[in-house]
Structure formats: structure tokens, C-alpha cells
Amino acid sequence: MARMERTVGLLICLLTMIMDIVAGTLGIKAEKAQNELSTLLPCKGPSYEAGRLGLAAAMLLALAHAIMNTFAVCVCFSSEEEPDKPSRNKQQLAAVSLIFSWIIFIIAFPLLIMGPVLNSRWRTTCGFSYHQMLSAGGILCFIHGLLSVAYCVSARVFSAAEEGIVNQQQSPPA
């Protein structure tokens, strides 16, 4: 059973990492599509391709975040009375990674949504436009992927260490 749980955990970690990489790539491609339109026209018109790519990146980021938070076992707050020092450090790394992945998600998701929304209207004057929102959201997707992997690895290592402590306590002395 433990081997199956580890395999599922590894697959979830890989899946979310791949989804974050694809979301980041789509965010950067959406920025590129928006910029290509601005070189063709002096005042930006709506880039429907940038809108589709930005929305796809936002949905992939949200899906990766939901999968990581739904299926990754949260071992951040265990009820162990006297945890050993290495396990405690891994537990803290898991908690910090999880918190920062939420912060990155809260910043990246609106950037990926608002980038094409704010640049979608035809501009009658060439005023301020919202540059770099999509690429910033895409870069944050890569960071979200790294934090998700850090959470997955530290939580998995912590749970394996905790499992080892439980098995040692249950086994009779030789």
C-alpha cells in the first residue's frame, strides 16, 4: 500500500509540474501574440489568440493548484508529541512551500486573466497599455511549479520519515 501511495504521489507531483510548465509557456506565448498585434497596428486591437492562450494558462494553473491541494496529503500539521529535528524541518519546508504556492497562485491567476481582458478593447488613442502581465503570470506559473514540487517532495519525505518512526515503535525489540 505504501508503494502505491508513493507512486500516486509521484504521479501527482509530475502532473502538476507539467501543467505549471505548460501554463507558463502559454502565458509567455500569449504575451508574444499580444505584442505581435501591437507591431502590426499602431494602436493595439484585441488579440483573440492572446486571450485564448491567457485563459488556457489561467485554467491550467488553477487545475494544477487544485490537484496539488486536493490530492497531496497535508502533513504540515501533525499531532506527533515529540517530533525529531529532521522531520520537523521537512514539515516546516512543506508548510512554507504550500503557503508560498498559494501566494504565487493568488498573484499569477489574476495576471493571466486580466492581461488579455485589459488589452482586449480597441483603443481610440494610443495611451497606457498593460504590458508584461501575461509574461509575468507565465513566469509565476514556473515558480508555482517549483514550489509545488518542493511541497510534494518535502511532504513525501516527511511522511516517509514519520512512517519509519511509527514502524520502529510498533516493531518488537529484538
Side-chain angles (χ1 to χ4, degrees):
M1 184 70 168
R3 184 173 185 200
M4 186 173 143
E5 289 174 0
R6 289 182 188 155
T7 303
V8 169
L10 180 65
L11 288 175
I12 289 170
C13 187
L14 288 173
L15 177 68
T16 56
M17 182 179 64
I18 290 169
M19 290 173 76
D20 281 325
I21 289 171
V22 171
T25 304
L26 288 175
I28 292 171
K29 284 185 178 183
E31 182 73 38
K32 194 177 201 180
Q34 187 69 37
N35 289 339
E36 284 176 3
L37 184 64
S38 68
T39 58
L40 296 175
L41 301 171
C43 296
K44 286 186 183 182
S47 174
Y48 298 110
E49 182 182 1
R52 284 193 304 267
L53 291 172
L55 184 61
M59 292 302 112
L60 274 174
L61 175 64
L63 187 60
H65 192 73
I67 288 172
M68 180 57 74
N69 284 291
T70 301
F71 294 111
V73 178
C74 184
V75 294
C76 300
F77 307 105
S78 70
S79 60
E80 199 176 319
E81 291 179 16
E82 290 185 33
D84 60 337
K85 191 70 169 172
S87 294
R88 190 69 172 159
N89 289 339
K90 292 170 188 161
Q91 182 182 19
Q92 289 172 349
L93 178 62
V96 167
S97 299
L98 183 64
I99 290 167
F100 279 117
S101 74
W102 268 99
I103 292 170
I104 294 296
F105 174 75
I106 289 170
I107 295 169
F109 188 76
L111 285 176
L112 291 170
I113 294 291
M114 294 305 293
V117 169
L118 293 174
N119 284 326
S120 68
R121 296 180 215 103
W122 284 101
R123 308 245 187 248
T124 56
T125 62
C126 296
F128 178 75
S129 65
Y130 301 92
H131 293 289
Q132 313 301 319
M133 290 183 96
L134 292 165
S135 59
I139 291 168
L140 289 175
C141 287
F142 294 127
I143 295 170
H144 183 269
L146 291 174
L147 289 169
S148 295
V149 168
Y151 170 72
C152 191
V153 168
S154 60
R156 190 171 145 237
V157 169
F158 173 69
S159 64
E162 189 177 69
E163 186 178 293
I165 291 169
V166 170
N167 289 339
Q168 287 175 358
Q169 290 174 353
Q170 290 177 353
S171 63

